[in-house]
Amino acid sequence: MPAERIPASLPVAAARRRRLRADRARQLADLLRHQILAGGFPRGVLPLENVIAADYRASRNTVRLALDLLRGEQLVERKAGVGTVVVCEKYAHGLDRLQGLAETLHEHGRVTNEVRTVGPVSAPGPVAHRLGLPDHTDVLCIERLRRLNGLPLSLDLSYLPMDVGGELLGCDLESTDVFRLLETLTGGPLGHAEITLEAVNADAHSAAVLQAPRGSAVLMLERLTHLPDGRPVDLEFIRFRGDRITMSGVLHRSV
């Protein structure tokens, strides 16, 4: 007896349903993530799956898939007798003001710094170019592991011209933002900064220092800060643990 033929359209339709369900789960996860980060769930406990399904007009399967995505991000976990609870707090780092990390996160706790490297180095070509210096000019290199309430948060690598940066060698780099020190040394506020933000995979060194899984994504902020007269004075490469930080700001559309 010949096997019954399956219409070619059936696997296509099933695949389309799976894709739509996955799309809806991702969209729901985005909404729930926002609520989590905004502190929208009292005591850090998410509503029951059927309540979420009713609130967001989603199927129970879609809700389960969305929660699986958030569990994969280690934002939530399932606890017997309690339900789905928030297990990871992220801190908002503002992008609309030029501030050091301790200034930005002061309301969340104490920022401390472990100075891993500090001293003059011969500037690589791209560093010298960004700082407006001749190639191989000595610059001050500072690498610090920065912690918030004792937890590793970022690995900061900074390059500064020696006529300015050299003054930092005798300063307290363990408990003070470089921005604060620069403004004290120059006698006035900093000017502006150019920033680039991207996700990169953590190399073995960064992962070990930040206590993050090797190869996991980290947020990399490249920032070139200028004095009020436009002179570049601080080139930074900052790797943030992506599971502990969010970037936020207010943007205005120009006319």
Side-chain angles (χ1 to χ4, degrees), residues 8-155:
S9 61
L10 291 183
V12 173
R16 183 172 183 274
R17 285 195 297 271
R18 288 194 298 272
R19 179 180 62 80
L20 289 174
R21 189 181 305 120
D23 285 345
R24 290 174 183 141
R26 169 175 47 80
Q27 294 159 8
L28 177 56
D30 289 343
L31 298 174
L32 293 173
R33 187 186 302 105
H34 173 79
Q35 289 288 90
I36 290 170
L37 299 180
F41 297 116
R43 299 178 301 282
V45 180
L46 274 65
L48 297 175
E49 290 180 0
N50 63 324
V51 175
I52 296 176
D55 287 346
Y56 291 92
R57 298 185 179 181
S59 70
R60 290 287 292 274
N61 283 339
T62 297
V63 172
R64 292 189 185 105
L65 287 174
L67 294 177
D68 283 344
L69 291 174
L70 298 177
R71 277 193 288 269
E73 297 174 18
Q74 299 182 342
L75 273 179
V76 302
E77 69 179 29
R78 183 82 177 174
K79 289 190 176 180
V82 179
T84 301
V85 299
V86 178
V87 293
C88 179
E89 183 176 5
K90 288 194 176 187
Y91 305 98
H93 186 294
L95 291 177
D96 46 7
R97 293 187 64 191
L98 183 55
Q99 292 183 311
L101 191 67
E103 294 174 308
T104 302
L105 301 179
H106 69 92
E107 64 187 49
H108 298 295
R110 182 166 177 256
V111 174
T112 55
N113 308 294
E114 175 189 330
V115 180
R116 299 177 56 82
T117 301
V118 59
V121 299
S122 177
V127 171
H129 175 73
R130 297 292 300 282
L131 290 174
L133 301 171
D135 287 355
H136 309 302
T137 301
D138 277 358
V139 295
L140 182 70
C141 176
I142 305 172
E143 183 181 77
R144 300 188 298 175
L145 170 63
R146 316 199 69 185
R147 294 185 173 92
L148 178 62
N149 299 325
L151 294 176
L153 183 63
S154 70
L155 182 62

Side-chain angles (χ1 to χ4, degrees), residues 115 118-119 140-142 144 158-174 176-186 233-234:
V115 180
V118 59
L140 182 70
C141 176
I142 305 172
R144 300 188 298 175
S158 303
Y159 298 97
L160 304 99
M162 283 303 298
D163 64 321
V164 176
E167 299 293 327
L168 298 179
L169 289 173
C171 295
D172 181 8
L173 294 169
E174 293 187 349
T176 312
D177 280 335
V178 168
F179 282 179
R180 290 270 190 181
L181 295 174
L182 286 175
E183 290 180 333
T184 299
L185 293 172
T186 60
V233 73
D234 184 8

